[in-house]
Amino acid sequence: MFGDMMNMMGKLKETQQKIEATKQRLDTVLIDEQSNDGLLKVTITANRKIKSIDVDERLLEDKEQLEDYLILVMNKAIEKATNVNEVELAAVAKEGMPNIPGMDKFL
């Protein structure tokens, strides 16, 4: 029994290390999003860190329009990045979990 517990603890530690490695890798996964007309382009990482924002000069003429574009495009980019992040981390976590009946519905 003690050996099983030590084995599980080892697996948990290994899973934690894999999760950390996955988080670091997700810093290199870039998500590009742009407005429908291409006037605003945003690049963020799968960890939801902004890497670049490209604003067409035409948007600089109207502050309110630029703000609207930023909100819409950033929200779309964040949603995509969040989906990638959650799928990747869930896959690593599930891989390291012991096979307990019924646990799969929580992951």
Side-chain angles (χ1 to χ4, degrees):
M1 180 171 173
F2 188 70
D4 288 342
M5 184 65 116
M6 291 301 289
N7 188 27
M8 282 180 82
M9 294 299 286
K11 278 194 95 128
L12 284 175
K13 185 172 178 95
E14 182 181 322
T15 299
Q16 286 174 330
Q17 290 171 342
K18 286 182 179 180
I19 287 172
E20 287 305 312
T22 300
K23 285 180 181 179
Q24 288 179 353
R25 184 179 59 77
L26 290 174
D27 273 334
T28 66
V29 175
L30 300 178
I31 311 292
D32 295 316
E33 187 59 58
Q34 68 178 5
S35 60
N36 291 337
D37 56 11
L39 295 179
L40 180 72
K41 298 174 185 172
V42 173
T43 300
I44 66 174
T45 70
N47 281 329
R48 298 169 297 267
K49 293 180 184 165
I50 299 168
K51 291 305 228 177
S52 69
I53 298 175
D54 181 28
V55 180
D56 188 285
E57 287 192 27
R58 291 173 281 180
L59 285 177
L60 298 177
E61 298 167 8
D62 185 344
K63 178 182 180 293
E64 190 173 312
Q65 183 183 20
L66 174 58
E67 290 169 347
D68 290 343
Y69 270 63
L70 281 167
I71 290 168
L72 291 171
V73 175
M74 291 300 298
N75 281 334
K76 286 184 352 184
I78 290 168
E79 183 178 338
K80 284 182 179 179
T82 298
N83 288 339
V84 169
N85 187 289
E86 288 175 354
V87 166
E88 292 287 326
L89 291 176
V92 172
K94 186 174 184 178
E95 176 185 306
M97 292 295 289
N99 188 13
I100 301 171
M103 280 299 287
D104 58 337
K105 61 183 158 190
F106 294 108
L107 297 174

